[in-house]
């Protein structure tokens, strides 16, 4: 359920711009006298997504594309939060609109104490808050995504998890898209998040040797078969080592610092590639598959 204040913050009016799918026309040169002739593009080749309020084309989509309005999806998420047996009172809502509305993202940070997990470290304490990210697009660059993770007290990393707690529901924009079913299990998703976040609460006290960290990075996120005889992406290794050392200034040379370095890369503009939601999602998936499902990561976590 939602408090009145939370419901107000989840207002979706900014996403209420009308869009429509229209046939595409173009001009072609016809005949020997080079006259222009209008050519209609068949629907099975493509159609245009038009913003009716500005008369702008914001995307070209395929024949099977089904238009799912941004506002409808965000209102469904709000409805599921309202109907949930979990209460959400103190929230922060961060909305982003990209490419004239072709891509949108809504971040909901739950500031209630019951969704806050302390991460003690030897230098200072950090805190983890429940976070929900919802993505939608009209340009087919990415499908509908509903992601639950964590939001750091000192940094806006989206903390992504292995297993059930890194939840990424997604769907393509076809006539079979059932976004409602993707968000109905919010209660279970929140429970999974709290379990994983509680496990993470010890990571700020787990100290790591430098050679452990380097070996871990080489065997996971920096592993490559295309760069040198050691099969390591040296540029990426140097980048991650730098991020880890920066995090260590605040949290010490710990598992929590390593984790924050990894998630910083996945959610921030590092190497000028994480500016868009698509890059962020791709990097989060890469972390999950190459890092958080690896034996190397499990071995580090085991000591916690």
């Amino acid at each position: 359920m939602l408090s009145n204040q939370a419901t107000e913050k989840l207002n979706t009016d900014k996403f209420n711009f009308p869009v429509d799918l229209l046939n595409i026309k173009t001009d072609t040169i016809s005949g020997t006298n080079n006259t222009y002739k209008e050519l209609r593009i068949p629907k099975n080749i493509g159609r245009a997504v038009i913003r009716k309020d500005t008369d702008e084309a914001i995307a070209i989509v395929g024949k099977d594309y089904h238009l799912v309005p941004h506002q409808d999806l965000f209102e469904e998420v709000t409805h599921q939060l309202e109907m949930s047996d979990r209460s959400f009172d103190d929230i922060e809502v961060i909305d982003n609109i990209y490419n004239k509305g072709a891509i949108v993202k809504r971040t909901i940070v739950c500031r209630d104490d019951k969704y806050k997990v302390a991460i003690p470290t030897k230098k200072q304490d950090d805190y983890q808050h429940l976070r929900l990210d919802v993505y939608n697009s009209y340009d087919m660059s990415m499908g509908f995504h509903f992601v639950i993770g964590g939001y750091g007290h000192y940094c806006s990393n989206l903390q992504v998890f292995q297993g059930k707690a890194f939840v990424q529901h997604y769907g393509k924009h076809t006539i079979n898209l059932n976004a409602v079913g993707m968000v109905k299990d919010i209660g279970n998703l929140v429970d999974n998040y709290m379990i994983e976040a509680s496990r993470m609460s010890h990571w700020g006290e787990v100290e790591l040797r430098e050679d452990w960290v380097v070996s871990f990075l080489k065997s996971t996120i920096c592993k490559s078969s295309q760069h040198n005889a050691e099969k390591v992406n040296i540029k990426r290794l140097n980048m991650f080592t730098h991020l880890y050392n920066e995090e260590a200034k605040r949290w010490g040379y710990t598992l929590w610092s390593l984790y924050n370095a990894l998630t910083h890369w996945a959610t921030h503009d590092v190497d000028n590639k994480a500016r868009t939601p698509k890059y962020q999602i791709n990097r989060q998936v890469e972390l999950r598959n190459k890092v958080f499902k690896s034996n190397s990561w499990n071995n580090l976590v085991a000591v916690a």
Side-chain angles (χ1 to χ4, degrees):
M1 63 189 73
L2 294 166
S3 66
N4 291 335
Q5 184 181 40
T7 301
E8 291 177 4
K9 291 181 179 179
L10 289 167
N11 183 282
T12 61
D13 286 348
K14 69 178 62 177
F15 303 109
N16 186 26
F17 47 85
V19 292
D20 201 359
L21 283 173
L22 298 180
N23 295 331
I24 303 173
K25 301 177 183 178
T26 187
D27 291 330
T28 183
I29 299 178
S30 177
T32 57
N33 57 352
N34 293 332
T35 58
Y36 283 92
K37 179 182 178 181
E38 184 181 89
L39 175 66
R40 293 177 178 267
I41 306 299
K43 289 183 180 180
N44 64 334
I45 294 179
R47 292 171 294 169
V49 180
I50 305 295
R51 276 192 63 157
K52 297 167 69 175
D53 57 336
T54 61
D55 290 328
E56 291 181 287
I58 59 176
I60 303 296
V61 297
K63 63 182 179 66
D64 295 325
Y65 180 88
H66 178 61
L67 193 63
V68 182
H70 300 322
Q71 187 177 34
D72 290 358
L73 284 177
F74 289 140
E75 285 186 348
E76 181 58 37
V77 171
T78 299
H79 175 69
Q80 294 303 327
L81 290 172
E82 176 62 41
M83 298 301 293
S84 172
D85 56 1
R86 308 299 191 276
S87 61
F88 302 93
D89 301 316
D90 183 10
I91 67 171
E92 176 186 359
V93 179
I94 306 166
D95 291 326
N96 290 284
I97 299 176
Y98 305 89
N99 300 341
K100 299 181 180 180
I103 306 172
V104 295
K105 174 186 176 183
R106 165 162 282 187
T107 294
I108 305 170
V109 182
C110 304
R111 300 288 187 183
D112 298 301
D113 286 343
K114 57 180 168 288
Y115 304 127
K116 178 180 177 181
V117 177
I119 314 289
T121 75
K122 293 186 176 181
K123 291 194 172 185
Q124 58 182 316
D125 288 351
D126 196 7
Y127 299 94
Q128 189 79 358
H129 299 272
L130 173 66
R131 167 175 167 173
L132 300 85
D133 280 349
V134 188
Y135 303 82
N136 194 43
S137 77
Y138 291 148
D139 62 2
M140 299 182 69
S141 62
M142 57 188 300
F144 165 76
H145 286 70
F146 180 76
V147 183
I148 280 189
Y151 193 94
H153 180 64
Y154 283 92
C155 185
S156 58
N157 296 7
L158 172 60
Q159 310 292 2
V160 295
F161 311 121
Q162 66 183 119
K164 295 180 180 179
F166 173 53
V167 179
Q168 180 175 306
H169 280 319
Y170 64 94
K172 294 181 178 179
H173 285 252
T174 67
I175 57 175
N176 296 318
L177 174 64
N178 182 10
V180 176
M182 297 179 186
V183 297
K184 276 189 174 179
D185 55 349
I186 284 178
N188 291 332
L189 303 184
V190 171
D191 288 344
N192 289 331
Y193 158 77
M194 294 303 297
I195 292 171
E196 285 294 320
S198 295
R199 291 172 180 167
M200 293 165 58
S201 64
H202 304 290
W203 293 0
E205 301 170 323
V206 179
E207 295 184 338
L208 300 178
R209 285 175 16 194
E210 181 180 359
D211 58 322
W212 291 358
V213 173
V214 173
S215 177
F216 164 79
L217 293 173
K218 285 183 176 180
S219 66
T220 56
I221 197 68
C222 300
K223 186 176 181 179
S224 174
S225 60
Q226 301 178 355
H227 288 80
N228 52 51
E230 295 182 0
K231 296 184 178 181
V232 173
N233 184 332
I234 299 299
K235 181 180 179 180
R236 180 175 278 196
L237 177 63
N238 291 337
M239 181 267 296
F240 273 111
T241 302
H242 171 74
L243 290 177
Y244 173 64
N245 288 331
E246 289 299 306
E247 294 290 344
K249 293 177 182 178
R250 177 175 288 157
W251 314 118
Y253 291 92
T254 63
L255 183 59
W256 184 240
S257 293
L258 177 59
Y259 181 72
N260 273 274
L262 293 165
T263 54
H264 179 97
W265 168 79
T267 55
H268 286 68
D269 183 12
V270 179
D271 289 343
N272 298 318
K273 291 184 178 180
R275 295 177 178 177
T276 67
K278 183 179 179 180
Y279 268 111
Q280 292 173 4
I281 287 291
N282 288 344
R283 285 185 170 185
Q284 291 160 28
V285 171
E286 186 176 359
L287 275 187
R288 181 184 60 183
N289 294 336
K290 289 186 177 181
V291 177
F292 299 138
K293 287 186 176 182
S294 70
N295 290 331
S296 298
W297 177 257
N298 290 331
N299 291 336
L300 289 179
V301 173
V303 301

